[in-house]
Amino acid sequence: MKIIVTAIFASFVFSPPKATIEKWLIEKSSNLSIQGKSNVADFRCDIVEYLRPDTLQIYKDDEQERFFRVKGGLTINVNCFDCHQKYITGDLRKALKADEIPLLKIELLSLGNFGNTANKNITGVVTITLAGVIKKMEVNYIVQTGNDGTLHLTGSRQVLFSDFGLTPPHKLAGLIKVEEQIEVRFQLILRPV
């Protein structure tokens, strides 16, 4: 009898706490841009309005954890990129295989513990699916809390076209060439649900 009581007490004392799940809606005012360089000029392509509302679930198993698990992400139509110049926009969409596989998917897997601190630097892990290729990457964010209770995740990540089996755009028999490395910048605006 004594052994059974001890086992029940031990499992009660050492059982892990249940995770707190926070739900956040990705606001359509969130934005994403790609910045790159060619041998002629720099360029920037934007998606200035995220039209599809998606929800993130953040699992806070323990407030002292270094990282929180995340479920959810966003899906972006590559044809919505606007490079502010017709030819560059067309070339980028072609290079990203927009006609064949038009969706860019970013799935958030984890976020650093951001607590209640504004302007905190954190790291997270995402999977990016582009042109049928899936890559797991680490991303650095700055977290800010808006006066309206929103959470702003601002970050950037350097990627290579070749990471996704893509070739950078080029024009005029190769006289104009886009560099292999581009920078993806984003601001996710999250509203608690």
Side-chain angles (χ1 to χ4, degrees):
M1 178 72 162
K2 186 176 185 182
I3 296 171
I4 295 171
V5 171
T6 305
I8 292 171
F9 178 74
S11 66
F12 176 73
V13 172
F14 297 109
S15 63
K18 291 185 178 180
T20 302
I21 302 171
E22 293 182 358
K23 293 184 178 183
W24 295 83
L25 180 72
I26 301 173
E27 293 279 291
K28 65 182 201 174
S29 55
S30 298
N31 59 71
L32 182 128
S33 68
I34 293 175
Q35 294 185 331
K37 296 180 180 182
S38 74
N39 59 338
V40 175
D42 295 353
F43 65 91
R44 177 183 171 135
C45 304
D46 299 301
I47 292 183
V48 293
E49 187 173 297
Y50 181 61
L51 299 175
R52 181 177 168 188
D54 282 319
T55 303
L56 297 179
Q57 294 181 358
I58 300 175
Y59 295 84
K60 295 184 175 181
D61 298 321
D62 180 354
E63 291 295 326
Q64 304 305 314
E65 288 292 321
R66 205 166 144 225
F67 290 95
F68 296 137
R69 291 177 297 126
V70 181
K71 182 179 179 185
L74 51 152
T75 302
I76 297 167
N77 188 332
V78 175
N79 288 304
C80 292
F81 274 113
D82 180 3
C83 301
H84 314 287
Q85 293 181 13
K86 182 180 175 182
Y87 297 110
I88 295 174
T89 299
D91 291 344
L92 179 73
R93 290 177 184 171
K94 185 176 178 182
L96 297 180
K97 299 183 179 179
D99 288 341
E100 299 168 44
I101 307 171
L103 299 180
L104 160 67
K105 296 180 182 180
I106 302 172
E107 188 79 20
L108 281 78
L109 302 176
S110 69
L111 282 176
N113 187 339
F114 49 86
N116 295 321
T117 308
N119 294 325
K120 185 172 185 178
N121 293 316
I122 62 169
T123 301
V125 177
V126 300
T127 56
I128 299 174
T129 305
L130 177 62
V133 177
I134 301 170
K135 289 288 182 181
K136 192 174 191 178
M137 298 183 170
E138 197 171 87
V139 177
N140 296 316
Y141 303 92
I142 297 173
V143 179
Q144 296 173 310
T145 306
N147 294 333
D148 57 357
T150 56
L151 193 64
H152 298 242
L153 296 175
T154 305
S156 64
R157 170 69 195 203
Q158 303 276 338
V159 296
L160 302 175
F161 280 96
S162 60
D163 289 342
F164 297 94
L166 301 171
T167 304
H170 60 278
K171 275 293 195 194
L172 301 175
L175 292 176
I176 300 173
K177 294 181 182 179
V178 171
E179 290 183 8
E180 166 77 331
Q181 181 174 292
I182 56 175
E183 182 175 19
V184 179
R185 293 183 178 187
F186 58 89
Q187 182 180 39
L188 297 181
I189 301 171
L190 308 176
R191 182 171 303 284
V193 178

